């Protein structure tokens, strides 16, 4: 049976180089050493990410690296069949770029274009490769049943290594174990296994740590030492980073990282994040740990993530002004003071140039930590990743944009995205109060006179109970819902002239403010249309939270009325599909429509009204027959997602050397192979 075309690996994948040399070379020897150890700690987590994706991912990784080593990077030694070799290295590069054989954007499996029999011939190069291929061949090529080509709940037939070896585990099982253990263990750095012993079900909560051990919590056995081999190496690098730290805060922070990764303590990791928030304006910025929960179908377990980057001082000045003036913009959001933090904790907001970023998919901006209590009481940081934003592939095509808009879109898409990311991270994720009973009988709002909901016009009737969190209450939709809320904040404030001026855009500037606003809305509408790639029509399932959010925003714009946004197509196959956006109606129709949607999203989140929030979000994310008909043309015209070639660092006679690679398939594979040394 032929592999479905939508599962075939990109040919060729889009390869981009992350430029870093000028920023790294400007560091002192001590700063370079500090960055080196963090980079090592970050990328040592690669195997953790692989183990969180699919059962076969780590074996495929070993096969790729062993093949590289066997031929010393000269891939044609495998075979004179140049097409087969090319398809193999295309798959290998895409696998490494996604840190697994499921796409980081879309959570869908991808399969090599080289036939299984031909790849088997290539891997017969030596006995080691032959053995490794036999171990993972089925995992590489299987695409039936179709449910297993998507990440998701095992009970729905999907794949999730957050629940390894547990095909029978149910959503109810996961919720039950979480409820039973949450008072003592946080789920971020765990996996959950369900087995049967003598016909009786058994649950094991696997905690990532270098130390081993076991204890019982109710009916759940907590098992320490998941990823112990990797965690021990990460601990050693964190200890070395603490020795090389540039100040006391960084030293103490890496000691807490080390403690957390050694013992599995999330409390120690939370202490590291409190220190991280206090480390203001570092020249070398970083963060490590189990951070984002997008890929856990239950939305509570997090993927390993680690990065180290250099601060771009010039770009950071803009973000610094945005932070300084945040109090001017927050009151303009469509909710009353009762739904906003009592005090806005001004974060660091920096523009970074990435040296190393280990994760399945590198974001353009970050707002962390994700721990609600730290964000509320200690603050957070925002970072914009400059060399991710600026990375451009040669001959990059623009789809679904009118010919008359192309020149303006090409000229301003980077500027519009910079504004979107900046406001999204700072004022999107950084705003909002969770109404809560903080301890028995004590509330962070006037319980005798609760605030009036601007959505219903009545006093609110719901709030978070003692110990409840936003993620815990909203569960699997929390991550995507919050991304949508943050995107809407950026869209709602995107037309504020004084905000655009901070980024250098005015009516008189070379890049005019209204043009940037127009491209911001056009870019979001296009992103919402492209999001259809990440919706599975068979299972009616969204595979990527950010894109699901953007689709719902496109729906908001389409529903704004008066033909503010329309999708135009005259061809039977919709091959001429373009987005028509009336720029004269952005302020009269677009911003008000976004504001109304944002208000609901925010108030439902603030008041723990999951029932209303889930209903709203499900409605706005529904792909009806009218929209589903456009998915085929989106799939026909889809562009490969960028894969980034990152530099490496090596310690040579006590001196840190930067190693860069060419922007090619071979360069990307080589960079990973040399990190394993």
């Amino acid at each position: 049976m032929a592999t479905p075309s939508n599962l075939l690996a990109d040919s060729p994948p889009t390869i981009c180089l992350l430029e870093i040399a000028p920023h790294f070379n400007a560091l002192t020897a001590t700063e370079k050493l500090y960055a080196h150890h963090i980079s090592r700690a970050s990328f040592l987590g690669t195997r953790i990410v692989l183990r969180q994706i699919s059962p076969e991912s780590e074996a495929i990784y070993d096969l790729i690296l062993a093949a590289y080593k066997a031929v010393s990077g000269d891939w044609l030694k495998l075979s004179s069949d140049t097409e087969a070799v090319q398809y193999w290295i295309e798959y290998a590069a895409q696998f490494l770029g996604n840190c697994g054989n499921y796409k980081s954007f879309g959570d869908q499996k991808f399969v090599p274009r080289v036939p299984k029999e031909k790849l088997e011939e290539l891997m017969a190069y030596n006995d080691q490769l032959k053995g490794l291929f036999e171990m993972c061949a089925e995992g590489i090529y299987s695409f039936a049943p179709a449910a297993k080509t998507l990440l998701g709940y095992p009970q729905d037939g999907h794949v999730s290594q957050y629940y390894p070896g547990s095909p029978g585990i149910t959503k109810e099982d996961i919720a039950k174990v979480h409820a039973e253990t949450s008072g003592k263990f946080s789920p971020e750095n765990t996996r959950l296994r369900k087995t049967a012993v003598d016909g009786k079900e058994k649950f094991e909560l696997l905690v990532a740590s270098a130390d081993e051990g076991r204890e019982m919590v109710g009916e759940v056995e907590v098992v320490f030492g998941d990823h112990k081999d990797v965690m021990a190496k990460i601990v050693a690098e964190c200890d070395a980073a603490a020795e090389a730290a540039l100040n006391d805060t960084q030293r103490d922070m890496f000691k807490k990282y080390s403690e957390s990764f050694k013992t599995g303590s999330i409390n120690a990791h939370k202490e590291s994040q409190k220190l991280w928030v206090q480390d203001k304006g570092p020249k070398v910025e970083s963060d490590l740990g189990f951070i984002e929960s997008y890929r856990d179908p239950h939305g509570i377990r997090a993927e390993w993530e680690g990065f180290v980057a250099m601060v771009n001082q010039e770009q950071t000045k803009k973000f610094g002004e945005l932070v300084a003036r945040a109090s001017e913009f927050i009151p303009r959001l469509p909710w009353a003071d009762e739904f906003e933090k009592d005090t806005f904790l001004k974060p660091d907001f920096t523009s970074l140039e990435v040296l190393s970023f280990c994760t399945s998919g590198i974001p353009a901006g970050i707002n962390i930590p994700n721990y609600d209590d730290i964000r509320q009481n200690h603050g957070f940081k925002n970072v914009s990743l400059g060399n991710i934003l600026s990375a451009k592939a040669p001959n990059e095509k623009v789809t679904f944009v009118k010919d008359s808009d192309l020149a303006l879109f090409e000229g301003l898409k980077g500027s519009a995205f910079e504004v979107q990311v900046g406001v999204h991270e700072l004022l999107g994720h950084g705003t909002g109060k969770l109404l809560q009973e903080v301890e028995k009988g004590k509330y962070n709002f006037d319980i005798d006179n609760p605030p009036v909901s601007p959505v219903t016009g009545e006093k609110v009737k719901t709030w978070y109970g003692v110990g409840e969190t936003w993620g815990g209450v909203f569960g699997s939709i929390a991550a995507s819902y919050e991304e949508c809320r943050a995107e809407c904040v950026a869209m709602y404030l995107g037309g504020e002239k004084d905000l655009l001026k901070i980024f250098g855009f005015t009516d008189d500037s070379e890049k005019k403010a209204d043009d940037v606003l127009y491209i911001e809305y056009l870019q979001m509408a296009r992103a919402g249309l492209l999001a259809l790639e990440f919706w599975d029509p068979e299972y009616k399932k969204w595979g990527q939270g950010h894109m699901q959010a953007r689709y719902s925003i496109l729906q908001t714009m389409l529903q704004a009325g008066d033909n503010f946004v329309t999708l135009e197509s005259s061809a039977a196959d919709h091959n001429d599909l373009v987005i028509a956006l009336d720029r004269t109606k952005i302020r009269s129709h677009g911003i008000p429509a976004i504001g109304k949607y944002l208000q609901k999203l925010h108030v439902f989140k603030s008041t723990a009204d999951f029932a209303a929030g889930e209903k709203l979000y499900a409605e706005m994310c529904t792909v009806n027959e009218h929209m589903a008909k456009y998915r085929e043309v989106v799939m026909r015209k889809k562009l490969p997602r960028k894969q980034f070639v990152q530099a490496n660092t090596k310690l040579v006679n006590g001196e840190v050397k930067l190693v860069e690679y060419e922007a090619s398939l071979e360069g990307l594979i080589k960079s990973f192979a040399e990190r394993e040394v």
Side-chain angles (χ1 to χ4, degrees):
M1 185 189 300
T3 304
S5 60
N6 67 307
L7 298 184
L8 292 173
D10 294 331
S11 182
T14 301
I15 305 296
C16 296
L17 184 67
L18 279 190
E19 303 279 357
I20 192 60
H23 301 279
F24 184 80
N25 292 337
L27 299 179
T28 66
T30 303
E31 290 164 348
K32 288 178 181 177
L33 183 61
Y34 179 59
H36 166 74
H37 288 300
I38 304 170
S39 178
R40 291 291 302 152
S42 298
F43 270 113
L44 281 166
T46 299
R47 289 184 179 274
I48 298 175
V49 179
L50 294 165
R51 294 168 189 173
Q52 294 176 314
I53 303 299
S54 69
E56 64 273 8
S57 279
E58 190 173 14
I60 299 172
Y61 180 71
D62 287 334
L63 176 65
I64 292 169
L65 298 191
Y68 174 87
K69 184 177 180 180
V71 300
S72 301
D74 183 0
W75 292 106
L76 288 177
K77 286 183 179 179
L78 290 176
S79 172
S80 59
D81 187 334
T82 56
E83 182 182 70
V85 171
Q86 182 67 16
Y87 282 156
W88 158 245
I89 63 173
E90 286 176 352
Y91 174 79
Q94 188 173 349
F95 176 95
L96 295 173
N98 286 276
C99 225
N101 62 335
Y102 284 72
K103 294 178 181 178
S104 61
F105 251 61
D107 289 348
Q108 185 173 67
K109 187 174 183 176
F110 55 94
V111 175
R113 288 176 180 267
V114 57
K116 182 178 179 180
E117 298 74 20
K118 179 59 69 172
L119 185 55
E120 185 176 17
E121 289 178 19
L122 266 60
M123 294 303 127
Y125 183 81
N126 64 30
D127 289 343
Q128 182 193 21
L129 297 187
K130 184 177 180 181
L132 286 169
F133 180 72
E134 288 173 354
M135 283 174 55
C136 58
E138 183 179 353
I140 291 174
Y141 282 98
S142 63
F143 55 85
K148 286 193 174 295
T149 65
L150 295 171
L151 298 182
Y153 281 111
Q155 78 174 67
D156 295 332
H158 303 309
V159 170
S160 178
Q161 279 298 93
Y162 289 104
Y163 308 96
S166 308
I169 198 167
T170 66
K171 299 172 189 178
E172 291 73 24
D173 290 334
I174 297 167
K176 180 180 73 174
V177 171
H178 180 52
E180 192 163 349
T181 59
S182 61
K184 193 168 183 181
F185 291 96
S186 294
E188 289 87 353
N189 64 341
T190 69
R191 298 193 292 169
L192 180 60
R193 178 184 292 138
K194 179 183 180 180
T195 56
V197 178
D198 297 328
K200 183 180 179 182
E201 64 181 25
K202 176 185 177 183
F203 294 99
E204 292 177 308
L205 189 67
L206 311 178
V207 180
S209 64
D211 291 348
E212 294 183 272
R214 291 173 179 265
E215 66 177 91
M216 295 299 297
V217 177
E219 298 295 313
V220 179
E221 184 172 21
V222 180
V223 183
F224 294 89
D226 200 17
H227 317 298
K228 65 177 182 177
D229 54 337
V230 175
M231 298 303 288
K233 294 176 182 178
I234 293 172
V235 167
E237 293 294 346
C238 286
D239 289 341
E243 287 292 320
L246 310 176
N247 57 50
D248 290 345
T249 302
Q250 291 176 353
R251 184 195 67 233
D252 293 343
M253 174 176 73
F254 270 91
K255 285 183 176 179
K256 285 297 179 183
Y257 280 134
S258 181
E259 179 187 344
S260 174
F261 303 148
K262 184 176 188 296
T263 66
S265 168
I266 285 294
N267 285 334
H269 191 261
K270 292 176 79 170
E271 290 302 314
S272 78
Q273 298 304 276
K274 292 176 186 176
L275 290 161
W276 182 68
V277 170
Q278 295 170 29
D279 187 27
K280 302 289 186 183
K283 288 182 68 176
V284 177
E285 182 62 282
S286 64
D287 199 28
L288 298 165
F290 295 85
I291 309 296
E292 302 291 356
S293 59
Y294 302 125
R295 305 196 86 173
D296 171 22
H298 211 67
I300 57 175
R301 296 182 162 81
E303 184 173 276
W304 169 266
E305 182 177 295
F307 77 86
V308 60
M310 285 74 250
V311 174
N312 183 323
Q313 299 293 348
E314 185 176 341
Q315 282 291 95
T316 295
K317 288 178 184 176
K318 298 178 188 177
F319 297 130
E321 185 177 351
L322 186 62
V323 171
R325 296 179 57 189
S327 59
E328 297 177 36
F329 303 117
I330 293 172
R332 303 179 197 179
L333 292 167
W335 52 78
D337 291 345
E338 292 93 336
F339 298 97
E340 191 49 67
K341 292 185 179 78
D342 299 331
T343 304
F344 179 72
L345 300 173
K346 292 184 177 180
D348 247 11
F349 198 166
T350 50
S351 178
L352 303 179
E353 308 294 325
V354 172
L355 168 64
S356 303
F357 205 128
C358 176
T359 186
S360 59
I362 306 177
I366 314 169
N367 177 284
I368 41 181
N370 289 334
Y371 302 116
D372 291 333
D373 54 340
I374 295 178
R375 296 175 63 83
Q376 294 275 341
N377 301 316
H378 298 273
F380 53 92
K381 282 186 182 181
N382 292 281
V383 298
S384 174
L385 305 180
N387 55 348
I388 300 293
L389 286 166
S390 62
K392 192 175 188 300
N395 305 316
E396 203 170 306
K397 295 179 181 178
V398 176
T399 52
F400 307 115
V401 171
K402 284 184 170 183
D403 289 344
S404 56
D405 284 330
L406 271 176
L408 191 65
F409 187 90
E410 288 277 25
L412 293 181
K413 65 180 181 180
S415 299
F417 197 45
E418 180 187 22
V419 175
Q420 180 74 20
V421 170
V423 181
H424 170 118
E425 299 298 346
L426 176 68
L427 302 177
H429 292 310
T431 54
K433 179 177 182 177
L434 303 182
L435 303 186
Q436 186 162 30
E437 184 179 7
V438 292
E439 55 186 71
K440 193 65 175 175
K442 183 179 178 182
Y443 301 80
N444 65 354
F445 64 98
D446 186 351
I447 187 65
D448 296 321
N449 188 28
V452 173
S453 165
V455 177
T456 65
E458 301 175 354
K459 292 181 179 180
V460 302
K461 299 180 177 66
T462 56
W463 46 80
Y464 294 86
V466 177
E468 285 188 329
T469 64
W470 145 247
V473 171
F474 276 70
S476 61
I477 72 166
S480 179
Y481 186 107
E482 172 60 10
E483 291 303 325
C484 185
R485 194 189 69 86
E487 292 279 46
C488 286
V489 168
M491 300 288 289
Y492 187 72
L493 294 176
E496 301 295 309
K497 292 292 183 80
D498 48 349
L499 186 151
L500 288 166
K501 187 177 180 180
I502 292 173
F503 290 88
F505 311 127
T506 66
D507 293 337
D508 301 320
S509 60
E510 182 181 348
K511 295 181 178 179
K512 296 190 175 357
D514 280 349
D515 286 343
V516 172
L517 174 63
Y518 176 54
I519 298 305
E520 185 180 345
Y521 268 71
L522 182 57
Q523 193 161 236
M524 181 58 72
R526 179 173 179 265
L529 182 61
L530 295 178
L532 287 168
E533 175 189 342
F534 305 97
W535 175 75
D536 187 277
E538 180 177 353
Y539 295 98
K540 306 293 188 289
K541 179 182 183 298
W542 282 99
Q544 213 295 319
H546 293 79
M547 300 307 284
Q548 178 181 356
R550 290 162 187 161
Y551 174 82
S552 82
I553 295 172
L554 169 62
Q555 287 298 301
T556 304
M557 289 194 274
L558 289 169
Q559 295 170 19
D562 205 13
N563 291 323
F564 166 55
V565 172
T566 55
L567 300 176
E568 296 182 350
S569 173
S570 60
D573 62 357
H574 304 298
N575 213 46
D576 60 347
L577 182 68
V578 291
I579 299 159
L581 192 156
D582 188 338
R583 64 181 295 164
T584 68
K585 295 173 182 172
I586 292 177
R587 297 184 188 280
S588 61
H589 292 71
I591 291 176
I594 294 292
K596 187 176 180 182
Y597 183 36
L598 169 60
Q599 184 184 77
K600 292 178 181 178
L601 289 168
H602 181 82
V603 170
F604 297 154
K605 175 188 175 182
S606 185
T607 59
D609 193 346
F610 173 68
E614 181 185 42
K615 182 174 182 292
L616 169 70
Y617 203 51
E619 288 172 354
M620 297 307 294
C621 295
T622 296
V623 180
N624 58 28
E625 289 184 14
H626 182 71
M627 291 302 299
K629 68 183 181 181
Y630 296 131
R631 187 176 183 273
E632 286 188 17
V633 68
V634 168
M635 296 302 291
R636 282 199 304 273
K637 295 188 176 186
K638 72 173 183 172
L639 303 174
R641 186 163 173 79
K642 295 174 184 174
Q643 310 299 333
F644 297 103
V645 180
Q646 302 181 51
N648 195 7
T649 57
K650 291 185 178 180
L651 196 55
V652 182
N653 297 324
E655 186 178 352
V656 178
K657 299 290 187 182
L658 184 72
V659 182
E660 293 192 291
Y661 306 89
E662 65 178 24
S664 66
L665 301 169
E666 294 83 355
L668 194 155
I669 298 168
K670 183 180 180 181
S671 72
F672 273 86
E674 293 193 352
R675 287 189 192 103
E676 282 287 307
V677 175

